[in-house]
Amino acid sequence: MQFFDDSLLPENQQPLVIQVAPYGPQWDASDSDDIAVSMDDQIQKAVDCWNAGATVLHVHVREEDGKGSKRLSKFNEMLARLREAVPKMILQVGGSISFAPEDDGQAAKWMNDDTRHMLTELTPRPDQVTVAINTSQMNIMELMTEADVAGTSLANPALQAAYRDMIVPSNPSWHEEHLRRLVANGIQPHFMLAHLSQLETVERLIRRGVYMGPLILNYVAIGGGAAGVNPADMMEFVRRTPDGATLTIETLNRNVIPLNTMAIAMGMHVRVGIEDTLFGPTGERMTSVQQIEAMVAIARVLNRDIASGDEARSIYRIGETYRSTEETLARIGFAPNRAQGQRGVPMRMAA
């Protein structure tokens, strides 16, 4: 992204889009008073986050016993109710879900990868589904401290061992097919990118015509196979992100507010919520709503506007579709592909 002499002035920045992940699927229901379990409470949590200033909702679903749901029907129920309760909110379903067949007929029909591709057939359809690119380690324990897990289920050594070895499976044959199905079903992919090599892979997918559409992405600084919390790494990712992309910063634990403060000052967007941290910057417990309120307060100090629902949809380019590789490259801000026999750097042509 380019920064001009006036890029840090709030009147030249987009309104701030606050993405919230309030459902915290890695936590046991007893780990926090802020974890909603019943369907009514999960819907109310979305309403509370909207009222606090969040315009993007990262959706996971719990069963009535508090465990994370793997039922497609439960997600469909949640999405239908969210559409009524927070109609202006961008609904973003977490792409780590793999659904379990609910009857023998489904069990016979679904192949292994189909349980993950079923995200593309949610009804009502969400605005977005998050997509990881390239299989990678996701050791969320690497940056965890004893204080981060004290008094929670993640203090259990066996659970820590499981999370330490966690893998995000996203081999090329899978993510290419998943992107195809999402676009075909009118769902925007929201790329969750853990480092620069994954951004480079996305660019190659676009240049080869595998993906055509807006580039909406999170920089995922959670360590353990993803980027860490060194601001220099974040700034290099920012520098390499094309100007037409929409970039949100995501990190974990007590790093959430410091890195997001940098993002707000530089005109980018932020993600908060108990999926990323149960704590504020000094170690005090913070609910998802309190984290949103903190982002709003920081933005107010910097005089940056908070996006409305309509503004967030425009910034996230919800509903936009591109018809060709050339249009996609131009709209995102990448240089065009090299023409046959062309030497040097392909330049964007003036209109």
Side-chain angles (χ1 to χ4, degrees), residues 26-28 31 140-141 144-146 148-164 253 275 278:
Q26 79 275 30
W27 303 112
D28 186 82
D31 288 340
I140 64 171
M141 300 308 303
M144 290 279 192
T145 68
E146 289 187 13
D148 293 324
V149 301
T152 74
S153 57
L154 284 185
N156 181 336
L159 199 55
Q160 288 187 20
Y163 275 110
R164 188 173 293 114
N253 301 332
E275 183 170 334
L278 296 176

Side-chain angles (χ1 to χ4, degrees), residues 156-203:
N156 181 336
L159 199 55
Q160 288 187 20
Y163 275 110
R164 188 173 293 114
D165 286 341
M166 186 163 59
I167 299 291
V168 179
S170 184
N171 49 297
S173 60
W174 183 83
H175 64 236
E176 291 185 13
E177 174 64 15
H178 201 59
L179 289 170
R180 186 193 68 77
R181 295 194 194 192
L182 286 172
V183 172
N185 288 329
I187 300 171
Q188 184 187 80
H190 189 116
F191 294 94
M192 308 296 269
L193 303 184
H195 43 69
L196 272 172
S197 67
Q198 293 178 353
L199 178 61
E200 291 172 346
T201 293
V202 172
E203 180 178 352

